[in-house]
């Protein structure tokens, strides 16, 4: 859980930040890049299994039709929602605007 | 009251007697001697004593009888009510004088006819008379019977609250089982709140067979209890959308590492400590290499919850999401209408109504969805300031104009857009005039063939010529054999059909635009929920968590602060926002989804049952 700090002493923080990173000027190793293809394959397979393969395994009974409808509808809705979210973040036009306190903190925390 | 009367003379004595007779008094002669008087008094006292005993005995006997009756009274009352109900039902039968029997006409599901015959046989075998059942043809619209179990009953209930479907019309309830909780969850998305709702519903579901829970009299509890499966699914989907929105009690979680690297931006842009101290707000630029590392694999990137401009990104995302979900939902509604047309054999409506409707909807708003997805797939970060605006393109599409500063999204976009708008405009007269003209032509060709000799297979389609263009057909149960209202079939008023179709066309075309905009409430309510949740956290919990370094002070103060946070979360965010999102999801289903295919003008089969008598 993250919460940006309510208030901080910039001088106090700046002393701590320079104590944290030992070498100035050398770029730190980048975080691992997120691929786009891997999540697409994983989630398409997952929801495809539920929505397309799942109906074949529903036991025969009076509720078979309703259960199949529920499986397909769930798969379509959840997959579509996830797909919209990842597509919206694929090519961002602008980046997040952060407070300087947040930058000080996150710069070294998320590496 | 006792009087002692002494008098002189016979006549006064007689008058006194008359007066005492009038008042029904008891008269005792005053004996001369003391013993006589005492004896008379004793006698009177004994009499009164005996009378009192008799009274006492009678009262005790009465209370015994009443106590016995009190035990027997409730089943007697139930029996009497049942008998009354049976007689009320029997009163509705008609008496046939010639055959000396009661004739009852009613509706029965075709699947239940063998059971009915068996029950009649069992019932009448003891009495010795036989009760028989015949199927007779009828022109009225049959009632609708949809069999539900305890899970599907609540979803069928919310569909029926808008209107019971016409006989054999497609039932939106099976799809509503999932789409309703899903649209609710889009407006409610928060892992923490969804989890609370899910657990509450789970508790109700697991204890649903306990008599204390089932027969609670509190009305508000009964409302929640009847919708326990609804709440269960709503909570479950809210947990999912909460993970996608990356909100748990308004806090984001970094399950995967964020796709934005602050360190890369800081080193590449040379953000020294002095520079940062001078600039309170700085933005990450996706153009700088190494800053944007790829889309977050599941949901919204957690960096946005730290960003000051997170609403700019989220608003754009949620608005586009609402439009995509809305167009998908409405297209699904139009496609469900296909089932109706196929089932009732109205093939002409497939070509003359569903096809133009789909072309109009998908040509205009499906194209908007295409533009949204196409722009998402293009990388405009290098020229973000001059990136094309979908909104301006869409407006220009309808006005057949162009804005020189707005770049096209793809080659040939103007030609495609013009073609789509012209195609959509062409579908409007087809929608308006197609079905009425076809029905008119068919009616004329049929009446030209001559009114004599109506074949049985024509009767089914004959119904379709009636003035109501969206009439329901008949199931295979009813046979057509000379019914009194034959004259209505031949009546086909072109002006009424045209008016009905005009209303339908205007409703559909204008509705496409307004309904698509109506789906933006998905964005509005999810924004409201997120902001309320954020404010509650910032105002309540964060002030408690940031109380100071002394552990003791913070720990003690956090208890009432958390209590306030919990109460406000349940009252405002769960109950108020939950009801609000429930209402809006319901409206989206009732109006925007169902007016594409559902008429809801039927009536329910209400069989005679003792169950309603015993409440």
């Amino acid at each position: 859980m993250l919460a940006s700090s309510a208030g901080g002493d910039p001088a106090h923080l700046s002393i701590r930040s320079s104590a944290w990173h030992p070498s100035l000027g050398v770029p730190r190793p980048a975080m691992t890049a997120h691929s786009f293809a891997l999540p697409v394959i994983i989630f398409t397979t997952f929801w495809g299994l539920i929505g397309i393969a799942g109906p074949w395994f529903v036991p025969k009974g009076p509720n078979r039709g309703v259960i199949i409808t529920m499986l397909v509808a769930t798969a379509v809705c959840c997959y579509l929602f996830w797909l919209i979210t990842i597509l919206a973040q694929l090519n961002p036009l602008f980046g997040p605007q952060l407070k300087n306190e947040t930058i000080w903190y996150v710069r070294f925390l998320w590496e | 009251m006792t009087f002692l009367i002494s008098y002189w003379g016979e006549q006064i004595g007689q008058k006194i007697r008359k007066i005492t007779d009038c008042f029904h008094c008891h008269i005792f002669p005053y004996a001369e001697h003391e013993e006589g008087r005492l004896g008379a008094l004793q006698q009177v006292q004994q009499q009164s004593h005996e009378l009192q005993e008799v009274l006492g005995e009678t009262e005790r006997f009465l209370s015994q009888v009443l106590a016995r009756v009190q035990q027997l009274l409730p089943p007697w009352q139930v029996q009497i009510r049942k008998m009354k109900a049976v007689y009320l039902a029997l009163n509705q039968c008609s008496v046939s004088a010639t055959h000396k029997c009661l004739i009852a006409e009613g509706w029965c599901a075709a699947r239940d006819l063998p059971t009915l015959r068996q029950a009649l046989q069992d019932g009448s075998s003891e009495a010795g008379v036989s009760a028989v059942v015949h199927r007779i043809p009828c022109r009225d619209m049959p009632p609708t019977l949809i069999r539900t179990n305890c899970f599907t009953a609540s979803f069928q209930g919310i569909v029926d609250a808008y209107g019971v479907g016409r006989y054999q019309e497609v039932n939106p309830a099976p799809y509503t089982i999932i789409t309703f909780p899903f649209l609710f969850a889009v407006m409610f998305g928060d892992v923490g709140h969804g989890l609370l709702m899910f657990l509450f519903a789970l508790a109700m579901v697991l204890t649903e067979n306990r008599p204390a829970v089932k027969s609670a009299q509190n009305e508000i509890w009964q409302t929640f209890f009847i919708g326990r499966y609804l709440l269960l699914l709503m909570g479950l989907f809210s947990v999912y959308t909460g993970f996608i929105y990356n909100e748990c009690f308004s806090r984001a979680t970094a399950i995967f590492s964020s796709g934005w690297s602050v360190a890369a931006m800081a080193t590449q842009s040379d953000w020294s400590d002095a520079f940062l101290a001078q600039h309170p707000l700085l933005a990450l630029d996706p153009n700088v290499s190494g800053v944007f590392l790829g889309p977050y694999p599941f949901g919204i990137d957690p960096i946005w919850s730290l960003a000051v401009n997170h609403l700019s990104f989220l608003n754009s995302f949620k608005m586009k999401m609402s439009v995509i979900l809305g167009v998908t939902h409405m297209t699904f509604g139009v496609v469900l209408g296909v089932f109706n047309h196929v089932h009732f054999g109205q093939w002409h409506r497939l070509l003359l109504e569903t096809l133009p409707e789909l072309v109009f909807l998908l040509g205009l708003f499906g194209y908007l969805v295409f533009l949204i997805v196409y722009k998402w797939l293009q990388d405009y970060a290098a020229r973000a300031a001059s990136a094309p605006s979908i909104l301006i393109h869409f407006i220009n599409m309808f006005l057949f104009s162009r804005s020189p500063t707005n770049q096209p999204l793809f080659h040939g976009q103007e030609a495609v857009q013009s073609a789509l708008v012209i195609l959509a405009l062409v579908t409007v007269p087809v929608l308006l005039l197609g079905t009425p003209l076809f029905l008119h032509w068919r009616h004329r060709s049929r009446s030209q063939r001559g009114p004599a000799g109506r074949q049985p297979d024509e009767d089914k389609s004959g119904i379709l010529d009636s003035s109501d263009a969206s009439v329901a057909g008949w199931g295979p149960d009813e046979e057509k054999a000379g019914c009194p209202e034959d004259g209505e079939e031949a009546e086909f008023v072109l002006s009424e059909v045209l008016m009905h179709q005009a209303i339908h066309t205007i409703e559909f075309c204008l509705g496409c635009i307004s309904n698509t905009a109506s789906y933006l409430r998905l964005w509005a309510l999810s924004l409201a929920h997120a902001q309320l949740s954020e404010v509650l956290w910032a105002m309540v919990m964060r002030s408690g968590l940031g109380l100071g370094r002394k552990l003791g002070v913070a720990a003690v103060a956090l208890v009432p602060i958390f209590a306030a946070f919990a109460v406000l979360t349940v009252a405002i965010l769960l109950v108020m926002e939950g009801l609000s999102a429930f209402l809006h999801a319901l409206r989206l289903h009732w109006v925007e989804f169902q007016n594409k295919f559902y008429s809801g003008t039927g009536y329910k089969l209400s069989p005679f049952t003792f169950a309603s008598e015993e409440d």
Side-chain angles (χ1 to χ4, degrees):
Chain A
M1 310 271 180
L2 294 168
S4 52
S5 54
D9 187 5
H12 175 81
L13 279 171
S14 67
I15 294 172
R16 293 197 63 174
S17 68
S18 50
W20 275 12
H21 78 127
S23 47
L24 271 164
V26 175
R28 301 189 51 96
M31 305 191 301
T32 47
H34 290 302
S35 77
F36 175 63
L38 186 62
V40 169
I41 294 174
I42 293 178
F43 282 101
T44 310
T45 321
F46 177 69
W47 291 116
L49 277 176
I50 292 184
I52 302 177
W56 295 102
F57 295 101
V58 178
K60 287 205 205 313
N63 298 322
R64 189 184 151 96
V66 173
I67 296 178
I68 291 179
T69 310
M70 283 172 66
L71 281 175
V72 175
T74 308
V76 168
C77 289
C78 295
Y79 179 64
L80 185 64
F81 198 58
W82 168 83
L83 191 65
I84 292 172
T85 310
I86 197 171
L87 283 181
Q89 299 178 95
L90 192 54
N91 294 308
L93 284 170
F94 59 93
Q97 199 182 36
L98 302 169
K99 287 197 285 204
N100 53 2
E101 297 152 357
T102 315
I103 297 175
W104 265 314
Y105 185 74
V106 170
R107 182 177 182 177
F108 303 106
L109 184 68
W110 278 358
E111 289 302 322
Chain B
M1 272 214 171
T2 325
F3 294 98
L4 187 63
I5 307 174
S6 66
Y7 59 92
W8 271 83
E10 216 30 63
Q11 284 195 341
I12 294 185
Q14 282 184 355
K15 279 192 197 152
I16 292 176
R17 253 174 244 282
K18 280 199 193 134
I19 293 174
T20 52
D21 276 343
C22 215
F23 284 105
H24 303 289
C25 301
H26 290 282
I27 300 183
F28 304 98
Y30 191 77
E32 288 297 331
H33 304 291
E34 187 75 26
E35 302 86 28
R37 289 201 292 275
L38 282 173
L41 185 62
Q42 261 185 354
Q43 235 184 351
V44 169
Q45 277 178 344
Q46 212 176 11
Q47 262 186 344
S48 103
H49 184 71
E50 277 169 16
L51 281 174
Q52 293 235 3
E53 271 193 26
V54 169
L55 270 176
E57 276 299 323
T58 317
E59 274 197 34
R60 267 194 297 273
F61 179 66
L62 193 64
S63 64
Q64 263 184 6
V65 170
L66 284 177
R68 261 215 306 266
V69 167
Q70 189 199 29
Q71 285 168 350
L72 297 174
L73 189 61
W76 285 356
Q77 278 180 328
V78 170
Q79 263 185 326
I80 289 181
R81 289 216 299 265
K82 282 193 184 180
M83 279 163 55
K84 260 180 81 169
V86 170
Y87 278 118
L88 269 175
L90 285 179
N91 276 345
Q92 293 174 330
C93 307
S94 57
V95 183
S96 164
T98 49
H99 305 289
K100 296 209 180 76
C101 62
L102 288 174
I103 303 182
E105 283 185 23
W107 293 103
C108 175
R111 216 190 307 174
D112 290 338
L113 270 179
T115 325
L116 177 68
R117 290 205 171 100
Q118 188 62 38
L120 281 176
Q121 262 187 350
D122 293 341
S124 56
S125 59
E126 302 153 7
V129 295
S130 62
V132 290
V133 59
H134 292 299
R135 282 164 69 158
I136 55 171
C138 182
R139 298 292 285 245
D140 298 334
M141 181 176 74
T144 310
L145 169 70
I146 297 181
R147 299 179 205 263
T148 56
N149 54 25
C150 64
F151 175 70
T152 55
S154 47
F155 300 98
Q156 188 66 47
I158 62 179
V159 170
D160 286 344
Y162 175 73
V164 178
R166 286 180 77 98
Y167 183 63
Q168 291 193 335
E169 151 172 77
V170 69
N171 180 23
Y175 314 101
T176 306
I177 296 178
I178 295 295
T179 59
F180 177 79
F182 176 69
L183 287 185
F184 171 87
V186 169
M187 293 190 268
F188 193 74
D190 189 300
V191 173
H193 303 148
L195 197 62
L196 286 175
M197 187 181 277
F198 176 73
L199 291 174
F200 173 59
L202 193 66
M204 281 199 289
V205 167
L206 290 177
T207 60
E208 68 182 352
N209 287 320
R210 283 203 216 149
V213 165
K214 229 184 346 188
S215 55
Q217 293 301 320
N218 190 356
E219 270 195 30
I220 298 183
W221 168 259
Q222 274 292 91
T223 314
F224 281 120
F225 185 71
I226 291 176
R228 58 195 181 279
Y229 288 104
L230 204 55
L231 282 174
L232 193 75
L233 282 183
M234 277 152 57
L236 199 57
F237 275 96
S238 297
V239 170
Y240 178 77
T241 55
F243 274 117
I244 300 250
Y245 286 150
N246 214 344
E247 289 208 359
C248 179
F249 293 112
S250 85
R251 300 293 92 207
T253 56
I255 301 177
F256 306 95
S257 60
S258 169
W260 293 84
S261 170
V262 179
M265 183 73 189
T267 48
Q268 302 255 353
S269 305
D270 213 9
W271 284 353
S272 65
D273 290 342
F275 184 80
L276 286 175
Q278 280 174 352
H279 294 85
L281 284 177
L282 286 165
L284 297 180
D285 187 357
N287 276 320
V288 176
S289 67
V291 173
F292 177 62
L293 300 168
Y296 195 69
F298 187 71
I300 301 282
D301 201 299
I303 190 110
W304 289 107
S305 74
L306 301 173
V308 169
N309 62 346
H310 70 287
L311 279 183
S312 304
F313 170 72
L314 281 180
N315 282 348
S316 161
F317 156 66
K318 285 185 181 175
M319 275 200 262
K320 294 176 180 174
M321 165 207 62
S322 308
V323 168
I324 296 177
L325 287 180
V327 172
T328 311
H329 203 209
M330 287 195 290
T331 311
F332 181 56
V334 175
V335 166
L336 278 184
V338 170
F339 288 115
N340 267 341
H341 300 328
V342 167
H343 178 83
F344 294 123
Q346 298 171 324
W347 303 98
H348 62 280
R349 294 183 75 179
L350 275 180
L351 198 58
L352 297 170
E353 280 189 23
T354 307
L355 191 60
E357 284 178 0
L358 275 177
V359 167
F360 188 86
L361 181 61
L362 291 179
L364 296 178
F365 297 98
Y367 176 68
L368 177 62
V369 169
F370 167 75
L371 283 182
I372 292 173
V373 176
Y374 190 86
K375 188 175 172 191
W376 275 342
L377 292 172
Q378 306 293 314
D379 189 2
Y380 289 110
R383 39 200 165 103
S386 63
S389 158
I390 295 182
L391 191 58
I392 299 185
H393 274 302
F394 201 57
I395 294 174
N396 286 339
M397 175 168 144
F398 287 103
L399 300 177
F400 286 102
S401 71
R402 55 190 312 265
S403 303
T405 50
N406 203 17
Q407 309 236 340
L409 273 158
F410 54 89
H411 194 66
Q413 183 180 0
E414 270 198 51
V416 169
Q417 284 181 179
S418 311
L420 284 174
V421 173
I422 291 173
L423 193 62
L425 286 177
V426 161
T427 61
V428 174
V430 174
L431 198 54
L432 181 65
L433 299 170
T435 309
L437 289 179
F438 174 78
L439 290 177
H440 179 68
W441 166 81
R442 197 168 61 173
H443 170 80
R444 257 215 312 208
S445 65
R446 188 163 291 143
S447 65
Q448 270 172 7
R449 252 181 288 162
R454 180 175 300 138
Q455 285 99 16
D457 59 335
E458 250 183 292
D459 291 328
K460 191 161 177 156
S461 49
I463 304 303
L464 304 174
D465 287 344
S466 71
S467 51
D468 184 3
S470 63
V471 74
W474 303 113
D477 304 348
E478 273 72 26
E479 308 121 56
K480 289 287 156 293
C483 265
E485 296 104 313
D486 271 2
E488 274 182 40
E489 265 193 30
E491 210 177 302
F492 172 75
V493 187
L494 181 64
S495 57
E496 275 187 35
V497 179
L498 265 177
M499 194 161 65
H500 181 97
Q501 196 66 19
I503 294 174
H504 175 81
T505 306
I506 295 175
E507 209 177 35
F508 181 81
C509 296
L510 291 182
C512 267
I513 306 169
S514 74
N515 292 347
T516 307
S518 184
Y519 275 93
L520 286 175
R521 71 187 65 222
L522 293 174
W523 157 59
L525 265 98
S526 73
L527 179 69
H529 187 89
Q531 289 303 101
L532 270 177
S533 184
E534 167 88 35
V535 159
L536 191 60
W537 177 272
M539 295 284 152
V540 179
M541 276 312 272
R542 187 180 296 161
S543 60
L545 289 169
L547 260 186
R549 309 298 173 133
K550 295 202 180 99
L551 196 58
V553 171
V556 169
L558 263 181
V559 173
I561 288 180
F562 178 73
F565 175 74
V567 166
L568 286 174
T569 296
V570 171
I572 297 180
L573 288 170
L574 282 181
V575 173
M576 191 186 83
E577 279 286 314
L579 280 175
S580 169
F582 181 93
L583 179 79
H584 285 282
L586 203 57
R587 177 252 158 71
L588 280 178
H589 276 78
W590 280 355
V591 177
E592 274 79 19
F593 175 58
Q594 284 180 349
N595 74 357
K596 301 285 180 289
F597 67 97
Y598 191 63
S599 69
T601 51
Y603 61 106
K604 264 198 201 177
L605 178 75
S606 51
F608 176 79
T609 170
F610 281 132
S612 57
E613 308 293 329
E614 282 160 14
D615 56 296

